[in-house]
Amino acid sequence: MKMLQKAGLAVFLATFVATASWAADGPFGIGMGSRLQTLKLEHDAPISSSGTVQVYAVIPPKPYYLFEGYLVDLTPKDGVCELTAIGQILADDPDGKKVRAMFENVKSGVTQTYGPAASVVDELESSSRLTQRQQFAESLYSHERTLSAKWELTGQAAQVKEIFLFASSPDSRNTKVFLSYEFENNDQCEAGKTVVGHNNQAAPVPAGDGAFGIGMGTKLKDLELRFEEPITRVDGLDAYAVAVPTPNAQFEDYIVKLTQQTGACQVVGFGNKQVNDLDGAKVSTVYFALKSALTKKYGSPSEIEEGLESYASLTARNQFAASLEKDQRELSSTWTFSDAASQYAQIWLYATSPDGRDTHVNLVYDFKNYNQCKGGKASGSDASGL
């Protein structure tokens, strides 16, 4: 095990060792201000957008095998201003040995290039009850443990302002690391984002900026329908299959629910099928990329459920999809908006499996008028819209 760790560190340092050419190129070969047309994209469409800032999944010129996904934040004016690398899932890591080794390897490589971290945090909250050796991943999952390193830089050739490395657990048993680079132009990018209001909730957004380009109250005549008749009709609430103004490459179908009186009150995106995804690796990658993009836009989720239920019997690694199908596992994030000015009541991202083998994610936008759509009495003073 130690020999493998040393070998992994040697490869990492060979890839990331501090050289003038690498620093000039930027992390993973992507430099500050890189333009969209110069990037190799995983998908043509952005994962998300906020104001003028768009988030794309990319294939970097210099990938590293410990990371399975890469996201860039950019604007047409400023180019790339932030880069995030998403680590591979480290399966069956309850005691955190694997994620610690990966964390230290990555930290060593970044230190070789940028110098020592300004701060390193490795601690369990004093109030935590998850103190056992085998509860390391669980304490990460419950946000009671922090394992992170932060670099604050000035005068770097690669024009990197800040680097943040941290460990995470999606389900209290498996682990991974994230590594983000914030460039010197990030303040300009931040200025182009949709304004965020109190309680870290999104302020009003135009119809074209969220919910795949469909705004609250959009009328039937203004939608591009795939079929003239609704898919379902219950008590005046119709669900139509639509072609959305701003499609996302991670989704293949879209539905809008509406009434004649309220217009659109819910938009649902149905993710691409991840075929033969028994261990959930494919759907997990898509889910965490979308969760990261949504968090950048709307703030941290109000509720996160990522893991097996206490009564689960489908616990083997290759039973991930089966546990989703049987409702023995949750992989979901929910954003709830209390800002009365926001058009959203709730956004819900979750993974599912129709047959215990294939998987996909769904993304649901509930507008503030959803209660009216369902026949509920909505008050103008009801800020939550729930």
Side-chain angles (χ1 to χ4, degrees):
M1 180 66 178
K2 290 183 179 178
M3 289 297 293
L4 288 175
Q5 290 178 3
K6 289 180 179 179
L9 178 58
V11 174
F12 185 91
L13 295 181
T15 306
F16 287 96
V17 68
T19 63
S21 62
W22 182 86
D25 290 341
F28 304 104
I30 296 176
M32 181 182 83
S34 296
R35 301 297 170 180
L36 178 61
Q37 59 268 28
T38 67
L39 300 172
K40 186 176 182 181
L41 305 180
E42 288 271 11
H43 312 284
D44 291 338
I47 291 176
S48 75
S49 61
S50 178
T52 58
V53 180
Q54 295 180 313
V55 180
Y56 284 89
V58 300
I59 302 172
K62 299 179 179 180
Y64 184 60
Y65 78 98
L66 288 179
F67 296 98
E68 63 184 4
Y70 303 84
L71 303 175
V72 296
D73 289 27
L74 57 79
T75 71
K77 179 181 178 181
D78 303 301
V80 171
C81 54
E82 188 172 341
L83 167 64
T84 302
I86 303 170
Q88 292 185 2
I89 285 283
L90 302 172
D92 196 22
D93 188 31
D95 61 2
K97 283 186 177 180
K98 296 177 184 178
V99 77
R100 274 194 178 280
M102 183 173 178
F103 177 87
E104 291 298 331
N105 282 357
V106 175
K107 182 163 72 73
S108 296
V110 175
T111 297
Q112 286 290 318
T113 302
Y114 294 101
S119 62
V120 178
V121 180
D122 182 2
E123 63 183 29
L124 181 69
E125 289 186 4
S126 58
S127 59
S128 177
R129 296 181 179 179
L130 303 174
T131 59
Q132 299 301 311
R133 179 180 177 184
Q134 292 294 323
Q135 294 178 313
F136 188 96
E138 187 177 356
S139 62
L140 284 176
Y141 168 71
S142 63
H143 305 293
E144 296 177 28
R145 179 184 294 276
T146 301
L147 179 60
S148 68
K150 185 178 182 180
W151 289 258
E152 297 175 350
L153 311 168
T154 57
Q156 292 291 323
Q159 298 177 301
V160 176
K161 177 182 178 182
E162 183 176 295
I163 303 171
F164 188 51
L165 168 68
F166 66 96
S168 178
S169 174
D171 55 11
S172 77
R173 187 162 189 86
N174 303 319
T175 58
K176 61 166 53 184
V177 300
F178 291 81
L179 178 63
S180 67
Y181 293 81
E182 183 180 304
F183 293 107
E184 293 284 355
N185 63 345
N186 194 59
D187 287 345
Q188 292 95 301
C189 276
E190 289 291 331
K193 287 186 177 180
T194 301
V195 178
V196 175
H198 297 295
N199 301 320
N200 208 29
Q201 305 299 345
V205 293
D209 189 31
F212 308 108
I214 295 174
M216 181 177 74
T218 301
K219 300 301 182 182
L220 179 61
K221 64 181 179 62
D222 297 319
L223 295 171
E224 184 179 346
L225 305 180
R226 293 183 60 187
F227 311 103
E228 290 186 7
E229 295 298 320
I231 295 174
T232 62
R233 172 173 287 167
V234 180
D235 296 330
L237 177 60
D238 297 336
Y240 284 90
V242 299
V244 296
T246 311
N248 183 287
Q250 299 290 355
F251 298 89
E252 59 185 4
D253 291 302
Y254 306 88
I255 285 178
V256 173
K257 291 185 178 181
L258 54 79
T259 69
Q260 290 186 353
Q261 292 76 24
T262 63
C265 56
Q266 186 185 75
V267 179
V268 183
F270 295 91
N272 301 319
K273 181 188 292 186
Q274 308 299 328
V275 178
N276 198 26
D277 187 28
L278 295 177
D279 63 0
K282 298 175 185 176
V283 76
S284 294
T285 298
V286 174
Y287 169 83
F288 283 108
L290 289 169
K291 177 185 173 184
S292 176
L294 288 164
T295 297
K296 287 177 182 293
K297 183 169 182 177
Y298 298 109
S300 299
S302 309
E303 183 178 359
I304 299 173
E305 295 183 88
E306 297 171 348
L308 285 165
E309 301 288 356
S310 59
Y311 56 81
S313 58
L314 300 169
T315 59
R317 181 179 179 181
N318 67 347
Q319 293 179 317
F320 190 102
S323 64
L324 283 177
E325 182 201 10
K326 298 300 183 182
D327 296 324
Q328 295 184 15
R329 178 186 295 275
E330 293 284 347
L331 188 59
S332 70
S333 294
T334 304
W335 290 257
T336 303
F337 301 90
S338 58
D339 187 342
S342 173
Q343 67 172 341
Y344 301 118
Q346 180 176 279
I347 299 173
W348 183 31
L349 172 69
Y350 66 97
T352 186
S353 174
D355 55 12
R357 177 173 290 273
D358 301 334
T359 59
H360 64 92
V361 297
N362 293 336
L363 180 58
V364 182
Y365 293 85
D366 287 347
F367 293 119
K368 282 288 177 66
N369 62 348
Y370 189 58
N371 274 350
Q372 293 169 283
C373 269
K374 295 190 299 181
K377 295 180 180 180
S379 168
S381 62
D382 182 4
S384 70
L386 297 178

